[in-house]
Amino acid sequence: MEFQFCGAAGSVTGSKHYVACNEFQFLVDCGLVQERKNLFQNWEPVLENPSQLDAVFLTHAHLDHCGLLPKLVADGFQGKIYGTPATLELAKLVLFDSAHIQEEDAAFKKKRHAKEGRVPPRPVRPLYTQADVEKTVQLFCSVPYSETTKVAPGVEVVYRDAGHILGSAFIEVILTKPQVDQDEPRRILFSGDLGRANRPIVCDPEFYTEPNVISNLFIESTYGDRESEPIETVNDQLIEVVNRTLDRGGKVIMPVFAVERAQEMLVRFAKLIVEGKIPADTPIFLDSPMAVEATLIFNRHREFFNEETIKISREAKDTIKNLHLFKTQQESRTLNEMEGPAVIMSSAGMCNAGRIKHHLVNHIGDPRNTVAFLGYQAEGTLGKLILNGVNPVRIHGQPRQVNAEIVMIRGISGHADQSELLEWYSAIPIHPKTTFVVHGEQRAIQTLAEKIKEIAPETYVLTPEYKEIYKD
């Protein structure tokens, strides 16, 4: 058995975990790196021989977990890509949008370089194209929750609800006796990204309660070194920030992740308006083609909604009168000249691409406005720089003065915090033989690893580095 940590090892984004067992080789996730210091990894080969890879098991549709699939396909991968129905539908949307943005950004950079008379050291090109995505989605293969699915002789998988985003899963890969030289099946568990209980839309994350021996566990550690604000405080923070900004005639600019976070905010605003906590006539704009399309996908999978979300959706139909979902560039441009207070949500959530950059250019310099961040900002991203107080910040190649109020809404993250991660780990009836702590900054990884050693001293806990190989 051989493992290689091809991404999210010592960092948060770019999840890619390679496993080879006898003749079967697979990846769990194939994500895009978003930390500035590690962007070079996106251009490196994911594997030496992608054509020899049999399968990719996808935990969920966030870009840092699925965003390099088209590059893997372009480099020769021809196997199947497994995921839940909602995950695959969302991943298709995410990948086409990513390819479009990369093609647009490449064209924009070429135009800017030509205008500035600059000659870049290497040709500007997109990481992959929409044609690459077309080939990728042809390899998608749907699997349901909670059922054992045979994917190859001696290889089975079980997907269980991770409660992170719609369709997200933690995955058990079962390698049976014909594939491995041992008496019992070998079971490998991948947490993917674990969510939190009592969030809008998604159901609470499941626990692994089967009395099986887990040989290897990969566990995320995004918030492995901290406790999050209680989820119950999120709406109170929103009420304060939104009403304070509206009272001074400003706009609330919210960078949102187009998948899950945007839909969660729509539900939260619906609830606050129904309850009379923010003015019912507040103009609320969701300006993101992908977020709008993702919202339609969510509505097609309402069977995965929790009961509270279904109730709020019913009550909000006759209450919300000033919600606008924008897809076209022309619609988006109207927001630049719009006077008066409003809430503008736009992607990307870390401000590293997309329309949010244009809204920041037009609104970050006005002290009446607020930029409200709603989730994790990776090191080196524009969102992290703004949140850290860098002023001015460089957007679209130009320095921009930051005069708007900058806030972070605490507790809204879709990632389990330290206590919740340890609760999930502790619920496994038999502690894994080996635990790999991944998908976190170094401090979070080390802190969570030490906590796991305390509750499971018999477990061998490892904190792998990028491209490290482990043989078991």
Side-chain angles (χ1 to χ4, degrees), residues 286-396:
L286 178 58
D287 179 32
S288 165
M290 184 168 70
V292 174
E293 288 297 327
T295 302
L296 298 177
I297 293 173
F298 271 57
N299 283 327
R300 289 199 291 271
H301 290 277
R302 295 171 72 88
E303 70 272 19
F304 298 124
F305 287 10
N306 59 38
E307 292 182 6
E308 183 187 21
T309 298
I310 294 172
K311 178 176 178 289
I312 292 169
S313 299
R314 270 197 310 265
E315 294 175 348
K317 281 184 179 179
D318 300 323
T319 308
I320 299 181
K321 305 295 184 183
N322 212 355
L323 173 65
H324 309 275
L325 306 182
F326 281 1
K327 293 178 66 175
T328 69
Q329 289 184 351
Q330 186 166 348
E331 288 172 323
S332 181
R333 290 191 192 102
T334 65
L335 299 177
N336 296 334
E337 293 103 32
M338 183 186 65
E339 297 293 333
V343 174
I344 300 174
M345 297 181 285
S346 188
S347 59
M350 297 185 195
C351 307
N352 51 320
R355 291 183 183 178
I356 188 61
K357 284 189 170 183
H358 296 279
H359 294 304
L360 290 172
V361 166
N362 285 282
H363 299 295
I364 203 168
D366 190 334
R368 296 174 299 174
N369 298 334
T370 299
V371 179
F373 290 98
L374 305 172
Y376 182 82
Q377 304 296 308
E379 290 295 334
T381 60
L382 176 59
K384 186 69 169 180
L385 295 174
I386 295 171
L387 197 58
N388 282 348
V390 173
N391 194 7
V393 290
R394 193 172 182 85
I395 310 175
H396 287 163

Side-chain angles (χ1 to χ4, degrees), residues 104-162:
E104 269 195 343
D105 283 354
F108 184 83
K109 286 179 182 177
K110 286 180 182 178
K111 184 177 179 181
R112 193 177 80 219
H113 291 163
K115 183 178 179 180
E116 296 172 353
R118 293 172 56 194
V119 179
R122 54 183 177 272
V124 176
R125 59 183 177 87
L127 188 59
Y128 52 82
T129 67
Q130 294 182 71
D132 296 322
V133 178
E134 289 281 4
K135 297 175 184 176
T136 302
V137 299
Q138 300 303 314
L139 305 177
F140 282 1
C141 185
S142 176
V143 293
Y145 279 134
S146 304
E147 293 183 14
T148 301
T149 302
K150 182 177 180 179
V151 299
V155 184
E156 299 172 334
V157 294
V158 183
Y159 276 59
R160 295 179 176 87
D161 196 342

Side-chain angles (χ1 to χ4, degrees), residues 173-301:
V173 180
I174 306 164
L175 303 166
T176 55
K177 283 187 288 186
Q179 278 287 326
V180 291
D181 186 18
Q182 57 188 43
D183 294 332
E184 296 296 328
R186 182 167 189 146
R187 299 172 187 271
I188 310 172
L189 200 60
F190 299 85
S191 76
D193 286 358
L194 295 169
R196 310 182 69 195
N198 303 317
R199 290 175 56 228
I201 303 178
V202 295
C203 295
D204 293 351
E206 293 182 32
F207 293 96
Y208 186 86
T209 57
E210 302 297 325
N212 299 317
V213 175
I214 302 297
S215 60
N216 307 94
L217 167 66
F218 290 65
I219 187 168
E220 69 126 321
S221 60
T222 310
Y223 288 151
D225 61 341
R226 73 199 77 174
E227 302 296 329
S228 297
E229 291 285 333
I231 288 177
E232 293 73 21
T233 69
V234 170
N235 283 354
D236 290 337
Q237 295 175 70
L238 284 172
I239 292 166
E240 183 179 342
V241 168
V242 171
N243 286 334
R244 181 171 70 234
T245 306
L246 298 180
D247 286 346
R248 62 180 182 239
K251 296 178 175 61
V252 182
I253 308 300
M254 288 186 165
V256 293
F257 300 100
V259 176
E260 190 68 36
R261 189 56 43 80
Q263 293 73 40
E264 175 178 345
M265 293 309 300
L266 291 176
V267 173
R268 288 189 180 278
F269 280 124
K271 180 178 175 64
L272 295 179
I273 289 173
V274 166
E275 294 176 348
K277 301 293 179 61
I278 63 174
D281 61 351
T282 302
I284 298 175
F285 300 89
L286 178 58
D287 179 32
S288 165
M290 184 168 70
V292 174
E293 288 297 327
T295 302
L296 298 177
I297 293 173
F298 271 57
N299 283 327
R300 289 199 291 271
H301 290 277

